[in-house]
Amino acid sequence: MTDVDLRKLRYFVAVAEHLHFGRAAASLHIAQPVLSRQIRALENELKATLFERDRRSTALTPAGRQLLADAPSLLAGAEALRRRVRRAARGPRVFTVGFMPGLIVTAAVRELGARHPGLSVELVRTTWEDQVDVIRDGRVDVGYLRPPADLRGLTVRPLFTEPRVVVLPGDHRLAGREGIAAADLADEHLLQNPDAVPEWRDIGVEMRRRNRPAAPVFHSVEEKLEHVAAGRGLVILPLSVATFYTRPDIAYVPVEDLAPTAVHLAWDAARRNPLLTEFAEIAASEAAAVPR
């Protein structure tokens, strides 16, 4: 696999995603015959047929499905390498930290900078959708993660856990309570993917409806809170996120029988930069010093 041309691999992913050579070629801005030749060349290199194709359809073979499962990590690793090399070529050393909403990482960042005066420590705010992607493609060196997250290929350092709360419209019947049970929310509509709240599959009445609405796609905490304030449903968030985004038209209430959520520090397991382990020790020390 180390001899596979990454350009051909990108071409393969495009065809696998579209399952149509014409549309894939258009997305890549190349001619379809060129794309077909590149895919044939890749199949020759791998000694495997990747697509079943006829005049009406294109489908992945078992070998193609396996390559599609592995290709994103290979391409992300190559992109990460390019980013790090470009950063190193620009001059002063840079160390970039990704952090999720509600997390305050100032103390750890300042401590690393103080220990290494020639190091530029930069920050990137991430989301539930890209928190792992930015590590794999090299946009950040290390990231603070919240579950659920795909941790394959990462070195993970647990930092702390915190309670989860339900965020409700300010005039909701449960707003103002000091605490509730998850069962109190059974008839409500969850405005997020149930994978983020696994317990919802057991308590949510809507999970047993055939025509239950799909969870909308949100790109920020602010979008979620706007929908909650408008009375369209509820979200479950870590306590630190809810308190960070406090506003007068919503309320957050602890859910006493939901398991706490974790915050981890993670980085690419293949990397051996000593700054990674140093920052992890600093982050763990700072997290332990904060009362929870």
Side-chain angles (χ1 to χ4, degrees):
M1 180 56 71
T2 55
D3 294 328
V4 171
D5 185 332
L6 290 176
R7 182 181 59 178
K8 294 190 186 78
L9 196 57
R10 291 189 186 92
Y11 289 172
F12 161 78
V13 170
V15 177
E17 289 176 345
H18 289 277
L19 289 178
H20 190 282
F21 276 75
R23 288 194 290 270
S27 72
L28 294 166
H29 306 290
I30 62 174
Q32 183 174 335
V34 173
L35 178 59
S36 297
R37 285 197 298 272
Q38 292 294 313
I39 295 299
R40 282 196 297 271
L42 179 60
E43 289 177 323
N44 290 335
E45 291 171 9
L46 295 175
K47 296 180 173 56
T49 300
L50 302 174
F51 295 101
E52 302 258 359
R53 27 192 196 266
D54 56 35
R55 292 183 179 180
R56 291 180 296 178
S57 66
T58 299
L60 285 164
T61 64
R65 288 193 292 272
Q66 182 62 58
L67 184 58
L68 183 59
D70 293 335
S73 61
L74 292 171
L75 294 172
E79 179 60 25
L81 176 62
R82 278 193 290 269
R83 287 178 188 272
R84 290 194 290 268
V85 170
R86 285 198 297 265
R87 279 208 303 262
R90 286 201 298 266
R93 289 190 303 161
V94 176
F95 187 85
T96 305
V97 179
F99 67 101
M100 288 285 285
L103 298 178
I104 298 174
V105 300
T106 309
V109 167
R110 291 184 67 176
E111 176 63 21
L112 185 69
R115 293 186 186 187
H116 301 274
L119 181 69
S120 175
V121 185
E122 299 180 354
L123 293 165
V124 172
R125 183 182 180 277
T126 61
T127 69
W128 271 272
E129 287 71 35
D130 68 2
Q131 59 177 336
V132 171
D133 294 341
V134 297
I135 298 172
R136 292 199 169 112
D137 68 17
R139 279 177 280 171
V140 306
D141 293 287
V142 66
Y144 287 78
L145 305 184
R146 294 188 185 275
D150 180 1
L151 302 179
R152 291 175 297 177
L154 303 180
T155 297
V156 179
R157 177 73 179 265
L159 294 180
F160 61 89
T161 62
E162 59 177 318
R164 287 184 290 169
V165 300
V166 60
V167 185
L168 304 164
D171 59 357
H172 193 277
R173 61 185 173 84
L174 297 174
R177 298 273 192 96
E178 292 186 2
I180 61 174
D184 294 329
L185 305 171
D187 292 325
E188 303 287 342
H189 174 48
L190 185 70
L191 285 170
Q192 62 199 115
N193 188 326
D195 288 345
V197 191
E199 299 91 340
W200 195 258
R201 300 188 185 281
D202 297 323
I203 65 169
V205 172
E206 66 182 1
M207 297 300 294
R208 293 184 285 279
R209 295 175 183 153
R210 290 185 180 180
N211 60 342
R212 64 185 177 87
V217 177
F218 297 121
H219 301 289
S220 68
V221 175
E222 292 88 347
E223 290 180 12
K224 292 179 181 178
L225 299 186
E226 286 293 336
H227 280 71
V228 170
R232 295 171 182 165
L234 59 83
V235 295
I236 305 292
L237 293 177
L239 176 61
S240 62
V241 178
T243 55
F244 189 84
Y245 288 93
T246 298
R247 46 187 281 182
D249 53 356
I250 62 173
Y252 62 85
V253 181
V255 185
E256 295 164 350
D257 52 350
L258 287 186
T261 186
V263 173
H264 305 304
L265 197 73
W267 61 94
D268 185 336
R271 297 189 62 196
R272 297 293 179 265
N273 184 345
L275 286 174
L276 294 167
T277 51
E278 183 177 3
F279 184 78
E281 292 299 325
I282 294 171
S285 177
E286 295 291 348
V290 176
R292 302 190 190 280

